[in-house]
Amino acid sequence: MTIRVRFAPSPTGYLHIGGARTALFNWLFARKMSGQMLVRIEDTDEGRSSQELTQGILTGMAWLGLDWDEGPYYQSQRIDVYKALCDKLLEAGFAYRCFCQKVADKEPGSNPESASHSCRETGRLASSKRARSEAAVVRFKVPSGQTVSFVDIIHGEIQVDSKEIEDFALLRSDGSPTYHLSVVADDLGMGITDVIRGADHLSNTPKQILVYQAIGRTPPRFAHLPLILGPDKTRLSKRHGATSILEFRREGFLPSALRNYLLRLGWSGSSDREFFEDKEAIEAFQLADVHRSNAVWSPEKLEWVNAKMMGLANTSELAEVVRQQLESADLWKSEWGEQERSIYESRIALLQSKMRRTTDFLQQGRAFFTDDFDYQEDAVEAYLSVSPKDPKLVAALKRLLEAYQALRDFDLMATEKTLRSISSAEKVKAGHLIGAVRVALTGQKVAPGIFEVIIALGQATVVRRLQRVISFLGA
């Protein structure tokens, strides 16, 4: 039997953290079991669904690197399938047309799926006396005296007395399907073997099992993932930070970092490992290792993971991400030939282990991509404030400019030897001259090794920026 799972978001909002983790766990399970994952868009709520939100969900999944094998399927295009299943349940006596909530289910804020237990009496009685042509909510006739049980892969055996389950709605009075009807019809029709979804759906599962039993079909296996709470231990929401996965992209997080962080959010397999390549995560993943208890979101931990992944990232791939951000900020002016690519990637390689987010390249690393940067005040105070005690700094910078301009072999050894020679000849401490050059080239008091910076920027840029700092000093 081929394992088939589905990620089935509702496009009433963008892909959020909880949805992204559900998609990731479905993806990992499908790949681990050599199975298939499909995407199903549950868009029957026409008033709240939109194509923009749907596209945002699919774009978020693609950015995370979660590909799918089938779909996306759209529930809005499958209404006839749901009505056919509903008719089958009506004809077999497992459902009835309920009029007791006819008015209530049209009132603002009402929900025909959560009708009171009184529908078992008044609704069923009215059903036998009203015309079929009259609008009504179709409800499932929950059997009495029955225990609904199932084994959840994460939570173990769960049993619910049928007296605790209301006669839940299958079709609203306007003919639109409810979640319980559409999800069973789709999971059956699409051959879903395993349903991996959030623990907030645990209470829905007994209802859906009753529908499976009514039509004589075996339900899929179920695994309900723990919820994700904010740092204050309340349900994760907008007040806890980014609500869309794509916001994390805009904020400078790598998809590999988010995948690694989400993997550990409620899963404890391979406890000796901190970071996983996709192949390693697939090999290690087991639903049995998912916790029952809720997970807690930590922005600080995500930031730490991202910083680590920045250092481990493939430089060429990281360079492309940063280049796109530079273009968006109108800071990318170069061509993208082999020579430019080589120079640019050498600068990324120099910086990447020191950056926490990709957006840091545009901030702390700005001077590596544009001449449009300022000297930081503390850097100027530390290295460019010429005093009577240090009258030789400008002379040393001028001499260094001339030497670098004339240097034929512009490499690490030659540039360092030249600077130290001039420092000694002009009687300027090497540390002070290096600091002044660092400010001239990066605008900062702290930066990577100065000679690596010099080579990464290249001779023409170094000369141009030395000229700029000399002018800044009024010489």
Side-chain angles (χ1 to χ4, degrees):
M1 178 182 68
T2 300
I3 294 296
R4 285 172 63 81
V5 299
R6 81 312 199 260
F7 176 57
S10 176
T12 55
Y14 291 104
L15 182 63
H16 53 75
I17 286 298
R21 188 192 60 174
T22 299
L24 173 64
F25 283 19
N26 272 280
W27 182 83
L28 288 169
F29 182 72
R31 299 296 175 256
K32 172 67 177 285
M33 304 302 292
S34 300
Q36 299 166 344
M37 183 175 91
L38 61 84
V39 171
R40 185 172 72 223
I41 304 299
E42 300 190 339
D43 59 346
T44 55
D45 188 343
E46 295 181 6
R48 299 174 60 205
S49 301
S50 75
Q51 185 56 43
E52 177 189 352
L53 292 172
T54 297
Q55 189 55 54
I57 291 170
L58 299 177
T59 301
M61 289 184 67
W63 176 71
L64 274 175
L66 306 180
D67 58 335
W68 54 91
D69 304 291
E70 290 182 21
Y73 298 105
Y74 295 87
Q75 285 192 335
S76 60
Q77 300 172 6
R78 294 172 54 81
I79 302 300
D80 290 346
V81 174
Y82 313 138
K83 289 185 176 180
L85 176 57
C86 188
D87 288 342
K88 183 176 181 179
L89 291 166
L90 281 166
E91 292 168 6
F94 291 106
Y96 62 94
R97 302 171 73 249
C98 175
F99 298 91
C100 66
Q101 291 289 317
K102 179 183 172 185
V103 176
D105 100 302
K106 292 183 179 179
E107 293 178 352
S110 66
N111 183 359
E113 295 184 52
S114 57
S116 68
H117 284 68
S118 64
C119 281
R120 288 189 178 183
E121 298 177 5
T122 59
R124 295 180 186 184
L125 179 62
S127 176
S128 64
K129 297 181 178 180
R130 303 290 281 268
R132 287 182 59 86
S133 60
E134 193 172 345
V137 174
V138 177
R139 297 189 181 281
F140 186 86
K141 189 183 294 184
V142 176
S144 59
Q146 181 175 328
T147 298
V148 182
S149 63
F150 66 98
V151 177
D152 187 273
I153 296 173
I154 296 169
H155 296 271
E157 185 175 6
I158 294 176
Q159 296 184 341
V160 178
D161 193 313
S162 62
K163 69 181 180 181
E164 303 297 327
I165 306 173
E166 75 277 4
D167 281 3
F168 52 92
L170 300 172
L171 280 184
R172 301 179 181 89
S173 60
D174 63 2
S176 62
T178 65
Y179 176 73
H180 302 302
L181 177 65
S182 58
V183 72
V184 171
D186 282 340
D187 286 347
L188 273 174
M190 297 174 183
I192 300 304
T193 61
D194 296 81
V195 172
I196 304 169
R197 58 188 179 184
D200 50 340
H201 284 291
L202 261 173
S203 61
N204 292 328
T205 305
K207 301 174 184 178
Q208 291 155 19
I209 287 175
L210 285 173
V211 178
Y212 281 107
Q213 291 175 346
I215 57 177
R217 299 293 296 272
T218 302
R221 292 180 291 264
F222 292 95
H224 289 86
L225 308 176
L227 301 180
I228 301 176
L229 306 180
D232 57 359
K233 305 299 176 64
T234 61
R235 187 77 179 265
L236 195 65
S237 65
K238 292 180 180 180
R239 70 179 181 276
H240 295 117
T243 56
S244 165
I245 288 299
L246 295 179
E247 286 184 42
F248 289 97
R249 179 175 67 175
R250 289 189 288 271
E251 292 174 2
F253 290 92
L254 295 172
S256 59
L258 204 53
R259 286 198 305 274
N260 268 275
Y261 179 72
L262 290 175
L263 176 61
R264 284 302 194 187
L265 209 55
W267 177 77
S268 60
S270 297
S271 58
D272 58 330
R273 294 291 303 276
E274 190 67 53
F275 305 110
F276 294 81
E277 295 289 341
D278 287 344
K279 185 177 180 181
E280 296 168 334
I282 290 168
E283 184 176 341
F285 187 75
Q286 297 278 359
L287 282 172
D289 294 326
V290 176
H291 301 170
R292 296 185 183 185
S293 58
N294 293 330
V296 178
W297 173 257
S298 171
E300 294 77 16
K301 181 64 179 292
L302 174 59
E303 183 103 19
W304 179 82
V305 171
N306 200 66
K308 294 295 184 182
M309 297 304 292
M310 289 279 285
L312 297 172
N314 177 280
T315 299
S316 296
E317 294 175 1
L318 183 59
E320 181 57 30
V321 172
V322 177
R323 185 176 74 87
Q324 291 173 6
Q325 294 185 342
L326 291 169
E327 284 182 337
S328 298
D330 200 28
L331 292 177
W332 180 262
K333 305 296 183 182
S334 301
E335 297 294 329
W336 193 233
E338 286 301 318
Q339 183 176 0
E340 290 81 10
R341 181 188 295 270
S342 176
I343 293 172
Y344 173 63
E345 289 185 2
S346 71
R347 297 177 186 181
I348 294 292
L350 184 62
L351 295 171
Q352 69 181 87
S353 64
K354 298 173 176 60
M355 301 297 171
R356 299 185 67 81
R357 304 188 185 191
T358 60
T359 49
D360 290 345
F361 286 97
L362 282 68
Q363 298 164 8
Q364 294 97 303
R366 184 182 180 93
F368 286 81
F369 309 105
T370 177
D371 286 337
D372 182 17
F373 66 91
D374 298 321
Y375 302 143
Q376 294 178 349
E377 289 186 12
D378 62 339
V380 170
E381 184 177 349
Y383 295 113
L384 297 184
S385 296
V386 180
S387 67
K389 294 182 181 180
D390 191 11
K392 299 285 189 178
L393 179 61
V394 172
L397 287 170
K398 285 183 175 180
R399 187 167 173 181
L400 183 65
L401 166 63
E402 293 172 357
Y404 276 177
Q405 208 165 11
L407 203 59
R408 297 186 64 180
D409 295 322
F410 200 80
D411 56 27
L412 278 173
M413 184 178 295
T415 53
E416 181 175 3
K417 181 179 179 181
T418 299
L419 185 145
R420 294 191 182 280
S421 175
I422 290 173
S423 166
S424 177
E426 295 293 337
K427 295 183 170 49
V428 176
K429 290 182 179 180
H432 194 89
L433 181 57
I434 287 173
V437 173
R438 183 181 297 112
V439 179
L441 301 185
T442 69
Q444 299 176 3
K445 187 176 179 180
V446 177
I450 188 60
F451 300 106
E452 286 81 3
V453 170
I454 286 172
I455 300 307
L457 290 175
Q459 188 171 19
T461 299
V462 170
V463 167
R464 185 169 63 249
R465 293 184 182 180
L466 287 174
Q467 290 170 334
R468 176 190 174 189
V469 76
I470 291 168
S471 298
F472 174 80
L473 292 171

